Amino acid sequence: MWFEQAEEAERAQDWDTAIALVSARAECYSDDHNLHGNHLWHMDLLAGAGRFPELTELARTDPHARRRLNRALRDRRMEPALRRRAEQGDRDALYVFVRLLCTTDRVREARLAVQEIDPDNAYALGIVESHRPG
């Protein structure tokens, strides 16, 4: 019953209700796949609600929150926030930021960002190189 209520609240964008219902039944890295799935759903709900401060706090220790926050920042084209996160050492934020720049035809800007933020990061450089004009 709670599941259907949470789904309905999410559809209605009643974020407080949906988050309360799901978070009460969520556990990061649980052996119970339902609890872990609810944890991922909880992160999605926080992103959908635009609760970036909560996601940012959770992202300090929770890789799922960190990745979901970075994707939400990308989806909302919040490039300065992604760049800040990358500059603070969040490699996932760097990769998301660089991909965003590359997929919006700003490969030169992406290359410069990698040089400024983490010039020895082979993976980030590989993202840039994979978007070079043919």
Side-chain angles (χ1 to χ4, degrees):
M1 174 116 179
W2 74 268
F3 185 83
E4 291 81 10
Q5 290 173 326
E7 285 185 317
E8 180 57 35
E10 181 179 16
R11 277 191 296 276
Q13 296 185 350
D14 178 359
W15 302 115
D16 291 338
T17 300
I19 290 167
L21 288 166
V22 174
S23 67
R25 294 160 181 88
E27 185 179 317
C28 185
Y29 292 120
S30 174
D31 289 335
D32 180 329
H33 72 278
N34 290 314
L35 292 176
H36 182 68
N38 291 342
H39 174 68
L40 299 177
W41 186 12
H42 178 218
M43 299 302 104
D44 287 344
L45 290 169
L46 290 172
R51 292 190 181 178
F52 296 126
E54 283 179 67
L55 269 174
T56 300
E57 184 59 32
L58 289 169
R60 299 171 99 203
T61 58
D62 183 338
H64 304 108
R66 184 174 58 252
R67 286 191 298 267
R68 189 61 189 96
L69 173 61
N70 292 335
R71 285 194 327 265
L73 294 172
R74 175 203 64 205
D75 293 347
R76 293 182 185 200
R77 299 282 202 253
M78 297 174 73
E79 294 172 15
L82 266 175
R83 183 180 180 105
R84 270 191 309 280
R85 292 184 58 71
E87 290 170 341
Q88 293 168 351
D90 182 342
R91 286 183 307 197
D92 181 65
L94 175 62
Y95 305 150
V96 170
F97 180 57
V98 169
R99 279 191 196 96
L100 175 59
L101 293 174
C102 287
T103 59
T104 53
D105 297 323
R106 295 180 286 164
V107 176
R108 180 176 286 133
E109 191 177 335
R111 182 174 286 108
L112 181 60
V114 173
Q115 289 172 354
E116 292 172 352
I117 297 169
D118 191 357
D120 297 324
N121 189 312
Y123 189 78
L125 292 169
I127 294 169
V128 173
E129 292 304 312
S130 72
H131 285 88
R132 285 180 37 189

